[in-house]
Amino acid sequence: MTGELPARTLSSKLVVVARAASAADYGAVLDALAEGGVQSVELTLTTPGTFDAFSALRSSFDGDLGIGTVTTLEQLERAIEVGADYVVTPITSSALVERAVDAGIPIIPGGLTPTELFASWSAGASAVKVFPAGQVGPGYLKDLRGPFPDIAVVPSGGVDADSAAAWLAAGAVAVSVGGPLLGDAFRGGDLGALRDRAQRFVAVCAGSDRPAGQPA
């Protein structure tokens, strides 16, 4: 196996998925997320320029920085080359998992059915991404743990603060969150409000309630 997910991702139990119109938009949003206590961010390859911007962002962000929406071996090789802390895929691909295992980089491959998820897990994935999680709900993890008691699951897709708490209570090792946390941040939205939302999600994932007076 590739081993566990990076330490800060595991301890915070929260991965924020950053999907922007351009990699030039990442910097200010990452700063606000860091101010809100976020320790792990997945930069997506659907954002143009992600690879070119990665090294500079990696040096300025105090946390784990991964690369997501990896669907080809070429993309995986580039993610390894630029120093991603982990990679995330939206698909089940034995070739991607096997290469990540060989390279020693944590990988979280996506899947939905028990067959897909177990195939990636048994091939050595660090965790498996249940995607789209909003189509099944936290009860699905309880069902998966019947035949696969040790499987490490990260739900992604439609996870908000309430469902994040439910997924973690059901045994997820972390949750992957995009729109419900980022909101309009990549469309000129208030970065202070983004920081506040980040603080709320961080508190939820840490198992504590929202701080007094903290906006929802």
Side-chain angles (χ1 to χ4, degrees):
M1 288 184 63
T2 59
E4 290 190 332
L5 296 173
R8 286 176 288 197
T9 300
L10 271 180
S11 63
S12 66
K13 303 177 184 177
L14 173 65
V15 175
V16 177
V17 183
R19 199 179 303 277
S22 167
D25 300 330
Y26 279 143
V29 169
L30 285 180
D31 289 345
L33 291 174
E35 291 171 4
V38 170
Q39 293 286 299
S40 184
V41 176
E42 171 195 335
L43 305 181
T44 60
L45 293 185
T46 51
T47 301
T50 291
F51 279 134
D52 292 335
F54 189 85
S55 293
L57 295 167
R58 181 70 188 82
S59 64
S60 62
F61 180 69
D62 185 20
D64 296 330
L65 204 60
I67 290 181
T69 328
V70 173
T71 58
T72 69
L73 284 170
E74 181 181 9
Q75 291 170 339
L76 176 57
E77 294 296 345
R78 188 79 189 277
I80 294 167
E81 177 185 325
V82 300
D85 290 308
Y86 57 88
V87 294
V88 184
T89 83
I91 60 173
T92 301
S93 167
S94 59
L96 291 175
V97 175
E98 289 166 7
R99 175 60 187 129
V101 170
D102 288 343
I105 185 171
I107 185 169
I108 312 170
L112 186 62
T113 69
T115 298
E116 292 170 337
L117 296 168
F118 184 70
S120 292
W121 179 244
S122 61
S126 300
V128 292
K129 180 175 78 168
V130 171
F131 174 78
Q135 299 302 310
V136 289
Y140 190 53
L141 180 50
K142 179 180 179 182
D143 293 337
L144 286 174
R145 286 191 176 278
F148 315 133
D150 300 321
I151 198 167
V153 167
V154 178
S156 181
V159 178
D160 59 16
D162 290 337
S163 60
W167 277 103
L168 292 169
V173 296
V175 292
S176 173
V177 178
L181 193 163
L182 288 166
D184 60 357
F186 281 124
R187 301 187 300 277
D190 185 343
L191 294 179
L194 172 62
R195 183 192 62 237
D196 292 342
R197 290 193 300 273
Q199 289 175 339
R200 182 189 180 203
F201 272 85
V202 167
V204 166
C205 293
S208 60
D209 293 329
R210 187 170 72 249
Q214 183 66 42

